[in-house]
Amino acid sequence: MRLIIMGPPGSGKGTQAKLLCDRFGMTHISTGDILREAIRNHSPLGRQAQQFMDDGQLVPDNLVNDIVAERFRRADRPAKFLLDGYPRTLNQAEVFDVVLRELHVTITAVLALEVPDDEIVRRMSGRRICPKDQSLYHVTFKPPKQPGICDICQTRLIQRPDDKEETVLNRLKQFHATVDELLEFYRRQNLLREVNGLGSIQEVFASCLASLQAGKDQC
Ligand code: AMP
Protein backbone atom coordinates (compact mmCIF):
# COMPACT_ATOMS: atom_id res chain seq x y z
CA MET A 1 0.00 0.00 0.00
CA ARG A 2 1.38 3.39 -1.04
CA LEU A 3 -0.80 6.28 0.03
CA ILE A 4 -0.95 10.06 0.05
CA ILE A 5 -3.11 11.72 2.68
CA MET A 6 -4.32 15.29 2.22
CA GLY A 7 -6.50 17.61 4.20
CA PRO A 8 -6.59 21.10 5.65
CA PRO A 9 -4.30 21.82 8.61
CA GLY A 10 -6.01 20.41 11.69
CA SER A 11 -8.13 17.92 9.73
CA GLY A 12 -6.62 15.06 11.73
CA LYS A 13 -4.54 13.80 8.84
CA GLY A 14 -1.52 13.21 11.09
CA THR A 15 -3.62 11.06 13.45
CA GLN A 16 -5.20 9.10 10.60
CA ALA A 17 -1.79 8.73 8.98
CA LYS A 18 -0.42 7.03 12.11
CA LEU A 19 -3.41 4.67 12.36
CA LEU A 20 -3.17 3.74 8.68
CA CYS A 21 0.58 3.16 8.96
CA ASP A 22 0.05 0.84 11.94
CA ARG A 23 -2.70 -1.05 10.11
CA PHE A 24 -0.84 -1.54 6.82
CA GLY A 25 2.80 -1.48 7.97
CA MET A 26 3.61 1.66 5.97
CA THR A 27 6.41 4.11 6.73
CA HIS A 28 5.01 7.52 7.69
CA ILE A 29 6.69 10.35 5.76
CA SER A 30 5.53 13.76 6.94
CA THR A 31 7.16 16.80 5.36
CA GLY A 32 5.88 18.92 8.28
CA ASP A 33 7.71 16.61 10.74
CA ILE A 34 10.88 16.63 8.64
CA LEU A 35 10.84 20.44 8.49
CA ARG A 36 10.13 20.83 12.22
CA GLU A 37 13.01 18.49 13.02
CA ALA A 38 15.30 20.53 10.73
CA ILE A 39 14.29 23.66 12.66
CA ARG A 40 14.98 21.98 16.01
CA ASN A 41 18.41 20.90 14.74
CA HIS A 42 19.17 24.40 13.40
CA SER A 43 20.15 22.82 10.07
CA PRO A 44 20.47 24.94 6.89
CA LEU A 45 17.11 23.52 5.76
CA GLY A 46 15.56 24.50 9.10
CA ARG A 47 16.89 28.04 8.81
CA GLN A 48 15.39 28.38 5.33
CA ALA A 49 12.02 26.93 6.34
CA GLN A 50 11.43 28.55 9.74
CA GLN A 51 10.05 31.95 8.77
CA PHE A 52 7.63 30.48 6.21
CA MET A 53 6.31 27.99 8.76
CA ASP A 54 5.96 30.50 11.58
CA ASP A 55 3.95 32.76 9.25
CA GLY A 56 1.68 29.90 8.14
CA GLN A 57 3.08 30.07 4.60
CA LEU A 58 4.09 27.12 2.48
CA VAL A 59 7.79 26.43 2.31
CA PRO A 60 8.99 26.95 -1.32
CA ASP A 61 8.31 24.00 -3.61
CA ASN A 62 11.96 23.39 -4.56
CA LEU A 63 13.00 22.91 -0.90
CA VAL A 64 10.24 20.40 -0.17
CA ASN A 65 10.55 18.63 -3.52
CA ASP A 66 14.26 18.09 -2.85
CA ILE A 67 13.60 16.64 0.62
CA VAL A 68 11.09 14.12 -0.73
CA ALA A 69 13.04 13.23 -3.88
CA GLU A 70 16.14 12.60 -1.76
CA ARG A 71 14.15 10.32 0.57
CA PHE A 72 12.73 8.31 -2.33
CA ARG A 73 15.93 8.02 -4.34
CA ARG A 74 17.78 6.44 -1.41
CA ALA A 75 18.41 2.71 -1.70
CA ASP A 76 16.59 2.14 1.60
CA ARG A 77 13.37 3.85 0.48
CA PRO A 78 10.32 2.19 1.99
CA ALA A 79 8.31 -0.20 -0.17
CA LYS A 80 5.13 0.75 1.67
CA PHE A 81 4.69 4.38 2.61
CA LEU A 82 2.19 7.03 3.48
CA LEU A 83 2.98 10.61 2.54
CA ASP A 84 1.43 13.13 4.90
CA GLY A 85 1.46 16.81 3.92
CA TYR A 86 3.07 16.28 0.52
CA PRO A 87 2.36 17.09 -2.25
CA ARG A 88 0.62 20.33 -1.38
CA THR A 89 0.80 22.19 -4.69
CA LEU A 90 0.34 21.15 -8.31
CA ASN A 91 4.06 21.74 -8.91
CA GLN A 92 4.91 19.36 -6.04
CA ALA A 93 2.51 16.73 -7.42
CA GLU A 94 4.02 16.98 -10.89
CA VAL A 95 7.60 16.81 -9.65
CA PHE A 96 6.75 13.87 -7.38
CA ASP A 97 5.09 12.09 -10.30
CA VAL A 98 8.33 12.31 -12.27
CA VAL A 99 10.30 10.90 -9.31
CA LEU A 100 7.85 8.02 -8.93
CA ARG A 101 7.88 7.21 -12.63
CA GLU A 102 11.66 7.21 -12.64
CA LEU A 103 11.59 4.66 -9.80
CA HIS A 104 8.69 2.64 -11.31
CA VAL A 105 6.60 3.20 -8.19
CA THR A 106 2.84 3.79 -8.35
CA ILE A 107 0.49 5.30 -5.77
CA THR A 108 -2.38 3.12 -4.53
CA ALA A 109 -4.72 5.97 -3.55
CA VAL A 110 -4.92 9.58 -2.39
CA LEU A 111 -7.12 10.13 0.67
CA ALA A 112 -8.50 13.66 1.00
CA LEU A 113 -10.03 14.46 4.39
CA GLU A 114 -12.83 17.01 4.23
CA VAL A 115 -13.41 19.28 7.23
CA PRO A 116 -15.12 22.74 7.16
CA ASP A 117 -13.01 25.78 8.05
CA ASP A 118 -14.92 26.78 11.22
CA GLU A 119 -14.37 23.32 12.68
CA ILE A 120 -10.65 23.56 11.83
CA VAL A 121 -10.26 26.83 13.73
CA ARG A 122 -12.09 25.35 16.74
CA ARG A 123 -9.86 22.28 16.75
CA MET A 124 -6.52 23.97 16.20
CA SER A 125 -6.74 26.72 18.77
CA GLY A 126 -6.89 23.97 21.46
CA ARG A 127 -3.98 21.93 20.15
CA ARG A 128 -0.91 21.58 22.41
CA ILE A 129 2.38 19.78 21.89
CA CYS A 130 5.17 18.60 24.16
CA PRO A 131 8.35 20.38 22.98
CA LYS A 132 10.46 17.48 24.25
CA ASP A 133 8.86 14.26 22.96
CA GLN A 134 6.44 15.85 20.43
CA SER A 135 3.31 14.12 21.88
CA LEU A 136 0.11 15.87 20.87
CA TYR A 137 -2.77 16.90 23.14
CA HIS A 138 -5.94 18.96 22.85
CA VAL A 139 -7.42 20.99 25.68
CA THR A 140 -10.90 19.57 24.94
CA PHE A 141 -10.55 16.39 22.88
CA LYS A 142 -7.37 14.87 24.35
CA PRO A 143 -6.45 16.72 27.55
CA PRO A 144 -3.31 15.70 29.44
CA LYS A 145 -3.88 14.19 32.91
CA GLN A 146 -2.46 17.34 34.52
CA PRO A 147 -3.45 20.55 32.66
CA GLY A 148 -0.59 21.91 30.55
CA ILE A 149 1.85 19.07 31.40
CA CYS A 150 3.00 16.19 29.19
CA ASP A 151 1.76 12.79 30.47
CA ILE A 152 4.92 11.05 29.28
CA CYS A 153 7.84 13.31 30.28
CA GLN A 154 6.17 15.97 32.53
CA THR A 155 7.41 18.82 30.30
CA ARG A 156 5.23 21.96 30.09
CA LEU A 157 3.13 21.81 26.90
CA ILE A 158 3.26 24.60 24.32
CA GLN A 159 1.15 25.81 21.40
CA ARG A 160 2.99 25.41 18.09
CA PRO A 161 3.49 28.89 16.56
CA ASP A 162 1.71 27.65 13.42
CA ASP A 163 -1.37 26.63 15.51
CA LYS A 164 -2.11 30.23 16.65
CA GLU A 165 -5.44 31.50 15.30
CA GLU A 166 -4.03 34.14 12.92
CA THR A 167 -1.58 31.60 11.53
CA VAL A 168 -4.30 28.96 11.23
CA LEU A 169 -6.37 31.38 9.11
CA ASN A 170 -3.30 31.99 6.91
CA ARG A 171 -2.72 28.28 6.55
CA LEU A 172 -6.36 27.71 5.58
CA LYS A 173 -6.10 30.46 2.95
CA GLN A 174 -2.98 28.78 1.59
CA PHE A 175 -4.69 25.41 1.60
CA HIS A 176 -7.69 26.65 -0.39
CA ALA A 177 -5.47 28.47 -2.86
CA THR A 178 -3.74 25.28 -3.95
CA VAL A 179 -6.00 22.34 -3.13
CA ASP A 180 -8.49 22.35 -6.00
CA GLU A 181 -5.99 21.82 -8.79
CA LEU A 182 -4.26 19.21 -6.68
CA LEU A 183 -7.50 17.29 -6.14
CA GLU A 184 -8.23 17.54 -9.85
CA PHE A 185 -4.76 16.19 -10.67
CA TYR A 186 -5.43 13.01 -8.67
CA ARG A 187 -9.11 12.78 -9.65
CA ARG A 188 -8.04 12.60 -13.29
CA GLN A 189 -5.77 9.67 -12.40
CA ASN A 190 -8.68 7.99 -10.62
CA LEU A 191 -6.68 7.92 -7.38
CA LEU A 192 -8.72 10.39 -5.33
CA ARG A 193 -10.82 9.12 -2.39
CA GLU A 194 -12.67 11.92 -0.59
CA VAL A 195 -13.35 11.10 3.07
CA ASN A 196 -15.62 12.90 5.54
CA GLY A 197 -13.23 14.12 8.25
CA LEU A 198 -15.96 14.92 10.81
CA GLY A 199 -16.59 12.48 13.65
CA SER A 200 -14.47 10.60 16.14
CA ILE A 201 -10.97 9.41 15.29
CA GLN A 202 -12.27 5.85 14.94
CA GLU A 203 -15.21 6.90 12.75
CA VAL A 204 -12.93 8.79 10.38
CA PHE A 205 -10.51 5.85 10.36
CA ALA A 206 -13.38 3.52 9.42
CA SER A 207 -14.29 5.90 6.55
CA CYS A 208 -10.67 5.88 5.36
CA LEU A 209 -10.64 2.06 5.35
CA ALA A 210 -14.01 1.93 3.57
CA SER A 211 -12.86 4.33 0.86
CA LEU A 212 -9.69 2.30 0.29
CA GLN A 213 -11.77 -0.87 0.04
CA ALA A 214 -14.23 0.81 -2.35
CA GLY A 215 -11.31 1.87 -4.55
CA LYS A 216 -9.99 -1.71 -4.60
CA ASP A 217 -13.41 -3.08 -5.56
CA GLN A 218 -13.55 -0.66 -8.50
CA CYS A 219 -10.22 -1.87 -9.92
P1 AMP B 1 1.98 20.09 8.54
O1 AMP B 1 2.59 19.51 9.77
O2 AMP B 1 1.86 19.11 7.40
O3 AMP B 1 0.67 20.80 8.80
O4 AMP B 1 3.01 21.22 8.00
C1 AMP B 1 3.37 22.32 8.80
C2 AMP B 1 4.00 23.41 7.95
O5 AMP B 1 5.16 22.89 7.28
C3 AMP B 1 3.13 23.95 6.82
O6 AMP B 1 2.25 24.96 7.24
C4 AMP B 1 4.18 24.48 5.84
O7 AMP B 1 4.71 25.72 6.28
C5 AMP B 1 5.28 23.44 5.97
N1 AMP B 1 5.08 22.33 5.00
C6 AMP B 1 4.88 21.02 5.29
N2 AMP B 1 4.74 20.30 4.17
C7 AMP B 1 4.88 21.17 3.14
C8 AMP B 1 4.80 21.06 1.73
N3 AMP B 1 4.56 19.88 1.13
N4 AMP B 1 4.98 22.19 1.00
C9 AMP B 1 5.23 23.38 1.55
N5 AMP B 1 5.28 23.57 2.88
C10 AMP B 1 5.10 22.48 3.68
Side-chain angles (χ1 to χ4, degrees):
M1 183 85 78
R2 293 167 306 279
L3 297 181
I4 292 173
I5 190 163
M6 293 175 19
S11 57
K13 69 183 159 60
T15 305
Q16 295 301 324
K18 289 202 177 71
L19 292 172
L20 287 160
C21 285
D22 286 349
R23 171 66 64 99
F24 296 112
M26 296 176 289
T27 300
H28 183 195
I29 302 175
S30 153
T31 43
D33 284 352
I34 294 171
L35 291 166
R36 279 185 288 276
E37 195 188 330
I39 290 175
R40 277 197 302 280
N41 294 338
H42 305 285
S43 73
L45 169 66
R47 278 197 293 277
Q48 291 181 76
Q50 177 143 35
Q51 197 57 54
F52 295 103
M53 290 177 73
D54 286 352
D55 291 346
Q57 302 294 328
L58 289 184
V59 172
D61 284 343
N62 60 330
L63 275 185
V64 192
N65 285 335
D66 286 352
I67 297 172
V68 175
E70 191 274 331
R71 182 74 187 87
F72 276 82
R73 289 195 176 116
R74 269 175 14 204
D76 67 345
R77 74 165 175 277
K80 298 195 266 178
F81 59 83
L82 182 150
L83 266 172
D84 166 3
Y86 181 91
R88 257 189 167 88
T89 63
L90 186 58
N91 167 277
Q92 292 180 15
E94 288 171 344
V95 170
F96 186 49
D97 229 34
V98 173
V99 174
L100 290 177
R101 252 184 275 144
E102 186 189 294
L103 299 167
H104 305 290
V105 173
T106 54
I107 294 292
T108 313
V110 176
L111 294 176
L113 295 184
E114 298 178 315
V115 181
D117 285 5
D118 52 355
E119 170 69 11
I120 296 288
V121 173
R122 202 167 66 87
R123 286 185 188 180
M124 287 184 77
S125 52
R127 210 147 86 151
R128 298 292 180 271
I129 188 168
C130 170
K132 194 158 165 214
D133 65 20
Q134 311 306 313
S135 5
L136 288 171
Y137 298 88
H138 191 282
V139 290
T140 316
F141 307 122
K142 195 187 168 202
K145 291 191 188 93
Q146 239 184 303
I149 304 291
C150 177
D151 291 349
I152 299 163
C153 67
Q154 319 310 317
T155 303
R156 183 163 292 282
L157 301 178
I158 58 162
Q159 189 175 37
R160 260 170 40 179
D162 57 352
D163 282 347
K164 301 228 157 80
E165 182 163 340
E166 192 194 325
T167 315
V168 172
L169 292 173
N170 261 336
R171 292 173 73 193
L172 278 172
K173 212 165 114 192
Q174 277 296 341
F175 174 77
H176 290 299
T178 58
V179 72
D180 287 344
E181 52 186 12
L182 201 53
L183 293 177
E184 192 47 38
F185 180 82
Y186 288 117
R187 191 177 289 120
R188 265 189 270 125
Q189 298 183 43
N190 199 23
L191 289 174
L192 187 66
R193 315 273 174 261
E194 285 163 297
V195 176
N196 179 2
L198 290 177
S200 69
I201 290 173
Q202 285 310 324
E203 282 165 347
V204 178
F205 184 51
S207 303
C208 289
L209 295 179
S211 75
L212 289 174
Q213 185 59 42
K216 227 164 62 189
D217 293 345
Q218 266 172 29
C219 294

